[in-house]
Amino acid sequence: MENVVGDRVLIAVQAVNISRLSTHPVPTVPGTLIVVAGAGPKDSNGAGKSSFIASITALLGDEQWRFASGAKAVSELLFNAELASGAGSRQWASADHGYIVGVFAPPGMDGFAPPAAASLEAAPGVGPSGGEPSGAETSGGELFGGEPSDGELFDVPDTSGGALTVWLRVNQEAPHLEIRWREGIHLAASPSEAERVARADEIWASLPRSAGRRDVVARDLTKVLYGDKVRCVSFLSTSVRSKVATNLLSQPLNEISPERVFEAIAALTGLDAELEQEREARRDEHAKRVRAAQAADRLAEFESESKALLSTFDRRDQARIRLADAQRCWRGRQARRLADAAAKDEALAADLERHRAAAEAAAEAVALVKAEIATLREDTLDRQVSQARKELAALQARASKLDADRAVTENSADELRGLIPALEETRRFADGRDVPAAERELGEARLRLNEALKALGVADQEVASAQAALDDAEGGPAAAQLNALAAAGVGATGLLDALDVAEQARDTATSGGLRGWPHEHAVIVDAAQLGAAAEALSGLPGSVLVSAAGVSVVGTFEGVATGREARIKAAEQRLNRAKDVQESAAQAVRDAEEAVAEAQRRLEGARAGVRLAELEVKLGERRAKLAELNAAIEELAPKVAEAERQAAALDFRARTRDMEIERLEGRRQRHESERAQAREQEAKVTAEREALKLDALAEDWGGTIDAAREWLDALPEEERTRTADEWWRIAERHLDQALRDTFPDEDAELPEELRFLLSEREGSTAREQATFAAVCGSLSSYLRGQEEYERHQRRQIEAQLVSRQRDLAAAARGAEEAAQSTAVHRAALTAAIKARLARVAEEFDKLDTSYGGYGATLEFPVPPAPADPEQRWQWRVTPKWRRGEGQAFVPYNRRANTALMDEKAVKLVCAAAIASSGGGHLCLVLDELGRNLGKEHRREAVALFRRIGETYGITVIGALQDDMEPYAIDACGQYIKLRRSSDAMPYNEPPVIVGHDQHAERVRALAAYVERGTPAVTA
């Protein structure tokens, strides 16, 4: 059976004996962002967030748990009494097994509507902004408090609406994971934690075995439950994981190396398992190569051993030949020594007289050279050279100091001259005024400016007043009544606006009868619309209606004057006069401001004149000092030149004298060397004649000098010219080679007689020559006794070589086949990795362009495979994106703002998750969500997770710390808070669950759905 879960999605999770998590079921909303917060004894730490999300990854088959190897790391999620703080470690025992239970339902069940009987109470103060909760919010105890009569959440399995419950039993001992499942919802429900734990064991025992007589174990989890489809990828930064993958969100993206970026994408897309298979293939190839090498080594070792043995036999055969050659060469040495000694004695007698004459001549030449050297060394030139150098150094130091002082003075003068043009330009603005006069003029100008500003303020007030009067005149009398009638659709005209009073009667009309009520609020309407007009003006008491039918008063009011056009004309004239005054005042202000600016420039010019006079005084002082320094330098220059000339002349004389003495010393040494050499040769020749010992040599040869010369003349041409030493070296070489051929090892078992003779001949050449003949005889006797044994050994070696060569051929074929298999697997894996990374790059580009970017991609060159079989095949992935429309791709490690880096990291993680899903339902689990994000970017990044998850159907589950909670709670689709108020409590309190926005009803429906096991009713 494969792919039991199929297209169902996870809608609820229950943990039993998993860390310190509560056993209350927790509903989950697929296809959105679910944040998991915590409330421990002090802060969010210790609430079990990491264990909660880790158990979800194990349930969904995250390959980072290494299911193929038994998933032993999952057993570390079990409750451990030693890790439970406070009294819990003494009152509670560690769990030897636990359960991770997941409820899966069809993905189309989005229109859940909780039954009318389901009552969900909201926990106070948990809403996103501290006010009313935004979704379904309840504790797990209230949410799943019901208990049917049989202890499960429902009685009839087929009432689940297609739901499936999967149970993972986590064991401390192997097998560490066992899997069972059943159609419907089967969760452990009881009033207390202990009863739910006991109930879980009962439900597990009632579930059918998933693989016939046995249960499915870890290695088959993904294949059986999900058909080898990737259902979960994760970044977990927790100690319960045996391997923690690189988290692209744990630090700024541009601080993560391309190698670690690939490791993160490989963990998200499942490529790390394939890379591990490639490494296993390389290990197998390496093992077979090692076996082939070992077979070759064994063959080579045997061949070496047999070759050494055969070489020993061959060397002994050669030793017999060399031994005979050694004895013949020994005879030739004796003859050559005698003949050479006789010839050398005759030549040495003549050389002795020649060396004595050369020694006497060299002694006379040495005496003459010594006398010349003594004469040259008596000169007093060295003292004169030293005195001249001291005087030159003193003059040069004085000249250097004068040059430095002149340079300082010139720089100071240049700086002063550089300030003069600007000051002269500014001084022209003074127009001949001194500083006090300029300051008085500036004060007077500022007083005039203040007066002009005051006049402008008065003019502005008059313009505003005239404009208000004009606006009032244009509004006219009875404006409120006319507006009300116009809104009611009744045509009307103001009574005073309809009258035109003569100019001579205007004053009387203004002060007398027409001003005030009722004339001001009177309007003229048609007699047929008198009733509608009265109703429209009912809210304006005192209004007067005039028509052909008579005069009608609505309430009571006061009167107004007439002549609207005259009033408007008067107000316009007043406004024009006020504007003229305002323009004159504004021009006066501008003139005063220009006067103040001109006075300010004159004051600056006067001050620049004072500063210029001071600079001219200082510049004169610098010029005088510079003239003094130049005169001193000119006076000192001839003295320095003369001192340099005298010192150079004395140095030349001293060098010439030293060269002559050096030449004479060389001649003396040559003569002394010639004398010593002549005396040495004289003594040497005398000693050589004594060392020849012609009588002893004739005795060793066993004949006369003439007999030895005749024996040598009878030799072949190539041997006739050999010296005695050459005969000896050849004879000794033949003997040494014969000994090495016979006994190649230093610790070989030598015959006792031969060992004694060899020990006697060590130490000097004379002893070697004295024992030469005895050693040759003993060695010859030993070699004759070894010939039969060597022939038998040769036959045995030939049979062994044939057998070992067959073994080597078989091992070599196996190694070659393994190499070909590894190459084929690597080529296929390379294509798979490139295709997977290309898919990630494609999704990365889609997400970037869909959510505010200009396009993104990935660069991933194919690296060479490592030679070390234990080394991981290291790839490099370089994210790139465009920073503007139509621009080129920029690598991720270029400088960019923090918000951009955070946004791209979120998109890259989601792109890898989408690419790994293969089109199926996927859950992305993140630990320490947003830990690296800055405060100003956290809410945007978390909201992006939610939008991408809901768009692509990805369920994003993220655990977060306290400082991240205010930013994430507003942006998520579902909020889960795990609670543990005291260290004395080994288990958590019931969790708080909040569904946000459109997911609020979904959480309520899931709660009732999981609690009752009944299908939801869709609209």
Side-chain angles (χ1 to χ4, degrees):
M1 179 178 291
E2 295 184 6
N3 199 10
V4 173
V5 174
D7 291 335
R8 298 180 179 93
V9 292
L10 183 68
I11 64 169
V13 179
Q14 184 178 26
V16 179
N17 282 342
I18 299 300
S19 184
R20 54 170 60 96
L21 298 176
S22 168
T23 58
H24 293 87
V26 178
T28 59
V29 178
T32 187
L33 172 62
I34 303 174
V35 298
V36 180
K42 297 180 180 179
D43 50 24
S44 65
N45 295 317
K49 303 187 302 297
S50 297
S51 299
F52 177 74
I53 64 175
S55 63
I56 292 178
T57 63
L59 176 65
L60 295 177
D62 185 2
E63 280 299 331
Q64 295 189 52
W65 287 107
R66 298 182 181 272
F67 292 104
S69 301
K72 185 178 184 303
V74 180
S75 62
E76 299 179 13
L77 293 174
L78 290 172
F79 175 75
N80 190 326
E82 295 181 359
L83 300 179
S85 304
S89 59
R90 298 188 298 270
Q91 298 176 357
W92 299 80
S94 298
D96 60 353
H97 71 278
Y99 302 96
I100 303 174
V101 187
V103 179
F104 295 86
M109 303 177 70
D110 295 330
F112 288 109
S119 176
L120 305 177
E121 298 180 7
V126 192
S129 60
E132 292 297 326
S134 63
E137 179 178 332
T138 179
S139 69
E142 296 167 347
L143 188 61
F144 304 101
E147 179 185 6
S149 59
D150 63 351
E152 295 190 27
L153 295 183
F154 58 90
D155 296 325
V156 183
D158 61 355
T159 60
S160 61
L164 176 76
T165 304
V166 176
W167 281 66
L168 266 64
R169 179 183 171 102
V170 183
N171 300 314
Q172 194 64 251
E173 303 296 333
H176 299 289
L177 275 187
E178 296 175 289
I179 302 98
R180 295 181 183 179
W181 61 85
R182 177 183 288 176
E183 295 289 338
I185 300 179
H186 301 267
L187 298 175
S190 291
S192 66
E193 292 279 353
E195 291 176 355
R196 281 191 289 271
V197 172
R199 183 59 184 152
D201 289 332
E202 297 175 3
I203 295 177
W204 173 262
S206 67
L207 294 175
R209 292 185 181 273
S210 52
R213 295 183 179 181
R214 64 175 181 85
D215 290 316
V216 173
V217 293
R219 66 174 179 271
D220 299 322
L221 182 145
T222 56
K223 181 178 181 181
V224 172
L225 292 183
Y226 310 111
D228 284 336
K229 291 184 178 179
V230 178
R231 295 296 296 267
C232 177
V233 291
S234 66
F235 280 144
L236 297 186
S237 305
T238 172
S239 60
V240 301
R241 293 298 301 275
S242 59
K243 176 185 177 182
V244 178
T246 302
N247 191 341
L248 296 178
L249 305 177
S250 64
Q251 63 187 101
L253 183 61
N254 56 357
E255 296 180 4
I256 302 176
S257 65
E259 292 82 2
R260 292 180 59 205
V261 172
F262 172 75
E263 290 178 0
I265 296 176
L268 287 172
T269 58
L271 289 176
D272 52 352
E274 299 181 10
L275 288 171
E276 188 63 28
Q277 293 175 3
E278 188 273 341
R279 181 159 60 178
E280 289 296 333
R282 278 190 283 117
R283 288 174 180 169
D284 179 66
E285 176 189 357
H286 177 71
K288 291 184 177 180
R289 288 187 180 277
V290 168
R291 286 196 292 272
Q294 289 174 350
D297 291 342
R298 286 193 296 269
L299 176 60
E301 182 180 0
F302 181 77
E303 288 178 342
S304 177
E305 293 175 355
S306 60
K307 184 178 180 181
L309 193 55
L310 293 174
S311 298
T312 300
F313 298 158
D314 294 338
R315 284 197 300 269
R316 287 177 182 174
D317 292 339
Q318 190 69 24
R320 296 179 180 90
I321 299 173
R322 291 185 181 277
L323 182 58
D325 293 339
Q327 292 172 341
R328 177 176 174 274
C329 291
W330 177 256
R331 181 69 176 166
R333 171 184 176 275
Q334 299 297 80
R336 175 54 66 187
R337 288 183 66 198
L338 180 57
D340 290 346
K344 190 175 183 180
D345 184 70
E346 296 172 357
L348 289 176
D351 291 341
L352 183 60
E353 292 299 327
R354 187 174 65 254
H355 292 319
R356 287 175 180 172
E360 292 176 358
E364 294 176 359
V366 168
L368 293 175
V369 172
K370 286 183 177 180
E372 292 182 11
I373 292 174
T375 302
L376 291 174
R377 290 181 184 269
E378 293 178 354
D379 198 352
T380 59
L381 183 60
D382 291 338
R383 292 191 299 274
Q384 296 176 0
V385 170
S386 176
Q387 182 63 30
R389 289 176 177 172
K390 289 181 180 179
E391 293 176 357
L392 176 61
L395 291 173
Q396 289 176 341
R398 182 180 175 190
S400 299
K401 185 177 183 306
L402 291 175
D403 286 338
D405 293 342
R406 181 175 61 181
V408 172
T409 305
E410 288 177 349
N411 290 337
S412 177
D414 291 340
E415 292 176 358
L416 294 175
R417 282 193 296 272
L419 298 175
I420 290 175
L423 292 174
E424 289 178 345
E425 182 67 23
T426 306
R427 185 179 59 179
R428 288 197 296 270
F429 293 112
D431 293 336
R433 293 172 176 78
D434 56 5
V435 174
E439 289 178 347
R440 286 194 302 273
E441 291 181 359
L442 177 61
E444 294 171 356
R446 286 175 177 171
L447 291 175
R448 289 192 296 272
L449 175 60
N450 291 336
E451 293 296 330
L453 289 173
K454 291 179 182 179
L456 178 61
V458 173
D460 291 341
Q461 291 179 357
E462 177 61 21
V463 169
S465 177
Q467 183 65 48
L470 177 61
D471 294 341
D472 181 63
E474 290 177 346
Q481 286 75 10
L482 292 174
N483 291 336
L485 291 174
V490 178
T493 303
L495 177 63
L496 297 184
D497 292 339
L499 298 178
D500 190 6
V501 182
E503 185 68 26
Q504 61 274 14
R506 187 173 303 277
D507 293 337
T508 304
T510 301
S511 59
L514 295 181
R515 258 307 183 191
W517 188 86
H519 307 94
E520 183 178 18
H521 297 280
V523 292
I524 302 172
V525 297
D526 187 85
Q529 294 181 326
L530 183 62
E535 182 178 358
L537 297 179
S538 61
L540 298 173
S543 300
V544 178
L545 296 175
V546 179
S547 66
V551 178
S552 177
V553 179
V554 181
T556 59
F557 207 72
E558 300 177 355
V560 181
T562 185
R564 178 172 182 271
E565 293 181 0
R567 292 195 307 274
I568 292 174
K569 183 176 180 181
E572 288 177 347
Q573 292 175 354
R574 178 187 174 189
L575 178 60
N576 291 334
R577 288 192 300 272
K579 286 184 178 180
D580 292 342
V581 174
Q582 183 187 36
E583 180 62 26
S584 300
Q587 183 62 39
V589 169
R590 287 192 294 271
D591 295 341
E593 288 176 345
E594 291 179 358
V596 169
E598 180 65 23
Q600 185 67 39
R601 286 194 298 272
R602 290 171 180 171
L603 177 59
E604 292 175 357
R607 290 175 179 174
V610 175
R611 176 60 178 164
L612 184 61
E614 295 175 354
L615 289 181
E616 290 176 349
V617 172
K618 291 182 180 179
L619 183 59
E621 294 175 353
R622 299 296 187 279
R623 288 172 177 169
K625 184 176 180 180
L626 186 60
E628 295 176 359
L629 291 174
N630 287 331
I633 290 173
E634 292 176 358
E635 181 181 357
L636 187 61
K639 296 180 181 179
V640 174
E642 179 62 21
E644 290 177 347
R645 186 190 64 77
Q646 293 180 359
L650 292 174
D651 282 340
F652 177 76
R653 288 178 55 192
R655 286 195 301 272
T656 303
R657 183 204 63 184
D658 292 340
M659 292 174 59
E660 182 64 20
I661 291 175
E662 183 178 357
R663 185 182 65 81
L664 293 174
E665 285 288 347
R667 185 190 300 175
R668 179 183 64 79
Q669 292 175 0
R670 287 195 302 273
H671 290 319
E672 288 180 349
S673 176
E674 292 173 356
R675 181 182 62 183
Q677 186 177 2
R679 290 176 179 175
E680 182 180 355
Q681 292 296 327
E682 181 182 352
K684 182 178 180 181
V685 170
T686 303
E688 287 180 355
R689 292 191 67 188
E690 294 176 354
L692 291 176
K693 298 179 181 180
L694 292 176
D695 297 337
L697 292 176
E699 183 178 358
D700 292 339
W701 162 248
T704 62
I705 295 175
D706 294 336
R709 288 174 176 172
E710 291 176 358
W711 188 89
L712 291 173
D713 291 340
L715 293 174
E717 185 66 29
E718 64 273 8
E719 294 181 350
R720 190 179 303 166
T721 58
R722 288 179 182 173
T723 63
D725 289 338
E726 290 176 346
W727 281 109
W728 163 245
R729 287 194 297 270
I730 295 173
E732 180 65 16
R733 186 165 62 249
H734 285 315
L735 178 60
D736 288 344
Q737 189 62 46
L739 287 171
R740 287 194 297 271
D741 291 344
T742 307
F743 308 104
D745 298 329
E746 294 182 359
D747 56 349
E749 296 183 0
L750 298 175
E752 191 64 29
E753 179 185 3
L754 185 58
R755 184 185 299 277
F756 173 76
L757 292 174
L758 292 176
S759 64
E760 286 294 322
R761 73 192 305 266
E762 294 177 356
S764 65
T765 304
R767 297 180 67 177
E768 292 176 353
Q769 295 172 354
T771 58
F772 185 84
V775 171
C776 289
S778 177
L779 179 60
S780 178
S781 176
Y782 174 79
L783 289 174
R784 284 193 300 271
Q786 295 293 321
E787 290 180 347
E788 182 62 27
Y789 168 76
E790 293 172 3
R791 283 193 295 270
H792 175 72
Q793 288 294 319
R794 286 180 186 275
R795 290 192 295 269
Q796 294 291 330
I797 289 172
E798 291 174 358
Q800 287 288 332
L801 281 174
V802 174
S803 175
R804 294 178 183 269
Q805 285 172 353
R806 286 197 301 266
D807 295 341
L808 175 60
R813 285 194 301 271
E816 184 178 357
E817 292 173 358
Q820 293 175 354
S821 176
T822 302
V824 172
H825 183 273
R826 185 177 300 117
L829 178 59
T830 301
I833 292 176
K834 292 172 64 177
R836 192 72 56 85
L837 293 179
R839 170 68 173 155
V840 175
E842 180 182 355
E843 295 297 338
F844 190 24
D845 182 70
K846 289 181 180 178
L847 288 177
D848 191 60
T849 55
S850 299
Y851 296 98
Y854 301 98
T857 187
L858 299 178
E859 183 180 272
F860 45 90
V862 179
D868 186 357
E870 298 299 328
Q871 185 178 357
R872 184 181 176 90
W873 195 10
Q874 189 65 61
W875 286 61
R876 295 167 56 91
V877 172
T878 304
K880 294 183 175 182
W881 52 78
R882 291 188 176 97
R883 296 188 178 180
E885 191 66 41
Q887 295 184 4
F889 288 107
V890 178
Y892 76 107
N893 47 16
R894 297 282 179 85
R895 175 177 293 181
N897 61 74
T898 306
L900 180 63
M901 282 296 174
D902 296 340
E903 174 195 346
K904 302 302 181 185
V906 172
K907 292 177 179 177
L908 181 56
V909 170
C910 293
I914 295 169
S916 66
S917 65
H921 302 287
L922 184 71
C923 182
L924 174 61
V925 181
L926 305 172
D927 200 2
E928 304 292 349
L929 177 64
R931 177 177 60 184
N932 181 61
L933 304 179
K935 292 183 178 179
E936 64 275 15
H937 312 310
R938 290 179 172 179
R939 183 176 287 105
E940 291 79 358
V942 175
L944 182 59
F945 265 124
R946 177 180 179 182
R947 293 198 302 272
I948 294 175
E950 293 178 351
T951 301
Y952 290 87
I954 300 175
T955 303
V956 183
I957 302 177
L960 46 84
Q961 293 290 344
D962 294 342
D963 58 344
M964 188 64 191
E965 188 171 354
Y967 304 95
I969 193 171
D970 285 340
C972 67
Q974 182 181 355
Y975 170 81
I976 300 173
K977 188 155 191 175
L978 308 179
R979 303 179 297 169
R980 187 170 71 95
S981 60
S982 171
D983 284 332
M985 299 176 60
Y987 293 103
N988 284 2
E989 299 174 8
V992 173
I993 304 158
V994 180
H996 292 279
D997 302 334
Q998 70 270 27
H999 300 297
E1001 294 300 327
R1002 179 63 182 259
V1003 170
R1004 292 192 181 96
L1006 283 173
Y1009 182 70
V1010 173
E1011 176 187 3
R1012 307 178 192 288
T1014 57
V1017 179
T1018 59

